Amino acid sequence: MALLDLPVASALADREVVRADGLRVAMLSVHTSPLAQPGTGDAGGMNVYVRGLARALAGLGAHVEIFTRATASAQPDVHEAGDGVLVRHVLAGPYEGLDKNELPGQLCAFTAGVLRTEASRRPGWYDVVHSHYWLSGQVGWLAADRWDVPLVHSMHTMAKVKNAALAPGDVPEPHGRVVGEEQVVEAADALVASTPDEAAELRDLYGADPSRVHVVAPGADLELFRPLPGPRGADDPALRDRLGLPQGPLVLFVGRVQPLKGPDTLVEAAAELRAQGRPVPWIVVCGGPSGRATAVRELAVLADRLGVGDRVLFRPPVPRTALGDWYRSADVVAMPSHSESFGLVAAEAEACGTPVVATAVGGLRTVVVDEVSGLLVDGHDPRAWAAALDRVLADDVLRARLGEGAAAVGARFGWETAARGMLDVYRDAAKVRRSRVA
């Protein structure tokens, strides 16, 4: 049974009462599991996105099955991740020891596992395939074709965009990924961009059909990430004590420690402030290494070499249920990324009422409203970053105003809103699919 033949089709025509009762979504996330702890290895914003969207779709009545690669023998074949959401661990290659760039060699095995699951059901079980990242898009291309259902694809990051903004010492994405992305763009019935900028990149860099490109902003869990009454940041010593954080001005970085995310820029900005005789805030890096196992140690060595090792603290990734307190404990959350398709950390921090200082790149230009919810910095000049951080930290009135603006901006990003927008995309993709095979 095709998507447009379902009872949900009539509801999809009216966004005010949209429901997804009975809709079955096969969601593909090959290289990283929505169950993994974000902030280290390959686990990051995409994990949060897939799980948050799946749960919100389920809340609207859909049944979502997320297919991801098994990475441990102890993982169950099927894990219930909430009402209406199943995570299926597909055996494809060894559990450990595979780098993300080696996974194309396991796509055949992964695809076989996905198709085998569908084959055990009645024909027409799934109504739509939604793939995340280009590796999943390759699998989704075949699955959607085999099942004759729409393929909806979310890029999350794009090789051509990343390669155009490489951080010093970073490695370019391989040509094989570029080709794979181009194939998925051509095959998809709908492409989901997180921001208008990403939509333009799909059209301009990949030749995507504009009629198939849709903008749906990701969400933040507004139950976990919200302002709380009482003091904030440096004015809440009890919270700092509970988290084991020092008192005084504090800048928080949350994410994977890798060149793409630019944590070295914060270290260099701290050194610039010290050289200028300005107060040096605490720089707290909450995350683990990605790409290079030595990434955290290398950042610590840089801090020592620049004379600010006494002000840079490293903490491992924390569970999402505790992350809101970390955002609220900070005076500023910093995102000095070289490339971001959206910037979930910024949205979550803002939802907690914490100002964000971010690079004016990609989705961060949409998530962070300059001079309203935070500040945008052009490039990665340590002097510019030092000036921006010092401006917010030294001005209590400005920081309070940006905090209020951050809470207002962050409240716009809810997962239910994202899920309702995605249902519209699924509906349009079904129309495209029918027109392409007619």
Side-chain angles (χ1 to χ4, degrees), residues 352-367:
C352 289
T354 301
V356 177
V357 176
T359 320
V361 296
L364 291 173
R365 291 177 292 193
T366 298
V367 180

Side-chain angles (χ1 to χ4, degrees), residues 21-213:
D21 297 314
L23 183 71
R24 295 190 179 98
V25 182
M27 201 169 281
L28 309 181
S29 181
V30 171
H31 81 285
T32 183
S33 169
L35 304 178
Q37 167 66 53
T40 190
D42 290 325
M46 196 179 96
N47 301 64
V48 178
Y49 182 110
V50 171
R51 184 163 187 172
L53 177 61
R55 295 179 68 176
L57 287 169
L60 294 174
H63 301 285
V64 184
E65 296 183 32
I66 305 170
F67 294 82
T68 190
R69 196 178 77 87
T71 55
S73 59
Q75 289 173 330
D77 293 339
V78 181
H79 172 86
E80 292 190 14
D83 292 341
V85 180
L86 297 179
V87 176
R88 295 188 176 275
H89 294 108
V90 179
L91 186 60
Y95 293 119
E96 299 177 353
L98 278 185
D99 180 81
K100 183 171 62 176
N101 291 327
E102 298 176 293
L103 289 181
Q106 299 302 323
L107 293 185
C108 182
F110 190 92
T111 303
V114 173
L115 296 181
R116 190 178 300 116
T117 298
E118 190 271 347
S120 67
R121 302 284 186 52
R122 64 170 174 78
W125 183 262
Y126 298 111
D127 301 300
V128 61
V129 175
H130 189 169
S131 54
H132 298 268
Y133 194 68
W134 78 277
L135 294 170
S136 300
Q138 291 282 316
V139 177
W141 178 12
L142 180 57
D145 185 66
R146 177 75 172 268
W147 302 338
D148 192 20
V149 298
L151 172 62
V152 176
H153 182 70
S154 297
M155 283 292 214
H156 292 279
T157 62
M158 291 178 273
K160 292 181 181 180
V161 176
K162 291 182 70 174
N163 287 346
L166 281 180
D170 213 351
V171 179
E173 294 296 316
H175 180 64
R177 174 180 173 180
V178 174
V179 174
E181 290 176 341
E182 291 172 338
Q183 292 171 331
V184 173
V185 167
E186 177 63 26
D189 299 294
L191 295 159
V192 181
S194 294
T195 65
D197 281 355
E198 186 183 0
E201 290 163 348
L202 281 166
R203 295 190 299 265
D204 298 342
L205 299 178
Y206 288 84
D209 182 342
S211 68
R212 297 186 203 166
V213 179

